[in-house]
Amino acid sequence: MALSAEDRALVRALWKKLGSNVGVYATEALERTFLAFPATKTYFSHLDLSPGSAQVRAHGQKVADALSLAVERLDDLPRALSALSHLHACQLRVDPANFPLLGHCLLVTLARHYPGDFSPALQASLDKFLSHVISALASEYR
Amino acid sequence: MVHFTAEEKAAVTSLWSKMNVEETGGEALGRLLVVYPWTQRFFDSFGNLSSPSAILGNPKVKAHGKKVLTSFGDAIKNMDNLKITFAKLSELHCDKLHVDPENFKLLGNVLVCVLAHHFGKEFTPQVQAAYQKVVAGVANALAHKYH
């Protein structure tokens, strides 16, 4: 099911609130993912994963930029994320089962930092948005 | 089998002791029903589930949420023995309730979100990681007797 008007409004409103901090939260989400789901670290053996790592921060910013792009292009996610899907499928070869793990940790991060905003309705809309992003990201795999 | 370090056990029990099980249970179950509406299939007799506020305010949802999370508390007291602790409940969920074990994973993750929402700064990545092990262990234990 496509994102409803309410879903889009809630997600956009939150993203506006996050402002320039999306990178900070994406980085925290990555850190949480590595700790909670250690197998995900197998894709990052080339990075320094120690706490506060500048490389993880840089990667977090990349993830943040992609998510912000997704928020801008909610009506056209498969096309907006097609190149990234291709990258993950053919070059990075990340098993798509991992995408929901990062998605979950992003929800956890936002719940922790924005308790006043993290209503059940926002949680539902965010979860739907992330599942659409994940679908788009997995779309070029085969 | 899941193995918890002393630090993980300490982190889990410490946070649990500060929790209002009744409120958190209702919140977690309510959010499950809102975020994953198909989970409402098990609760046709619960009355009004027509909106997020109806769901979160529904007394049957709150009562059932409390029941579920109280049971979860047994997990916290028996972290090294989850499969045995939940053996009977596993049989019940399979034979009588007919619940797809996938739902246990969904509820586990919603619970983690609720804990993050509630405890904020205290819900560090390390504490989250310990709780992810708990909810995964409980989900596995509840699915263990399925046939």
Side-chain angles (χ1 to χ4, degrees), chain A residues 15-72:
Chain A
W15 228 256
K16 204 170 175 186
K17 212 168 183 179
L18 300 183
S20 53
N21 286 322
V22 184
V24 174
Y25 300 130
T27 300
E28 181 176 328
L30 277 171
E31 286 166 352
R32 286 181 180 272
T33 306
F34 296 146
L35 266 169
F37 309 106
T40 56
K41 293 188 292 184
T42 56
Y43 293 101
F44 297 97
S45 53
H46 58 291
L47 289 192
D48 163 25
L49 298 182
S50 55
S53 154
Q55 292 182 319
V56 174
R57 240 180 306 134
H59 194 74
Q61 191 56 54
K62 274 193 209 166
V63 172
D65 292 342
L67 286 170
S68 297
L69 172 72
V71 174
E72 270 171 52

Side-chain angles (χ1 to χ4, degrees), chain B residues 8-115:
Chain B
E8 284 167 339
K9 286 185 187 174
V12 168
T13 48
S14 163
L15 203 84
W16 197 264
S17 68
K18 298 179 198 169
M19 200 192 311
N20 181 324
V21 170
E22 175 165 359
E23 259 179 41
T24 306
E27 176 92 20
L29 184 64
R31 282 179 183 261
L32 178 78
L33 298 175
V34 170
V35 178
Y36 308 107
W38 56 90
T39 58
Q40 294 172 23
R41 71 193 302 283
F42 303 109
F43 304 105
D44 278 336
S45 63
F46 273 28
N48 187 3
L49 299 179
S50 59
S51 70
S53 51
I55 292 171
L56 272 295
N58 184 310
K60 285 188 173 176
V61 170
K62 288 186 188 183
H64 196 71
K66 175 184 175 182
K67 197 174 179 181
V68 169
L69 212 65
T70 303
S71 183
F72 215 92
D74 290 341
I76 308 295
K77 294 189 206 120
N78 292 283
M79 283 160 75
D80 292 323
N81 260 312
L82 293 176
K83 289 204 167 87
I84 295 169
T85 305
F86 286 101
K88 282 258 158 352
L89 267 177
S90 178
E91 285 172 10
L92 178 79
H93 281 76
C94 173
D95 299 331
K96 295 268 151 49
L97 304 177
H98 310 295
V99 177
D100 178 349
E102 184 62 29
N103 291 284
F104 308 146
K105 296 183 197 169
L106 292 180
L107 181 59
N109 279 337
V110 170
L111 178 61
V112 167
C113 285
V114 169
L115 294 177

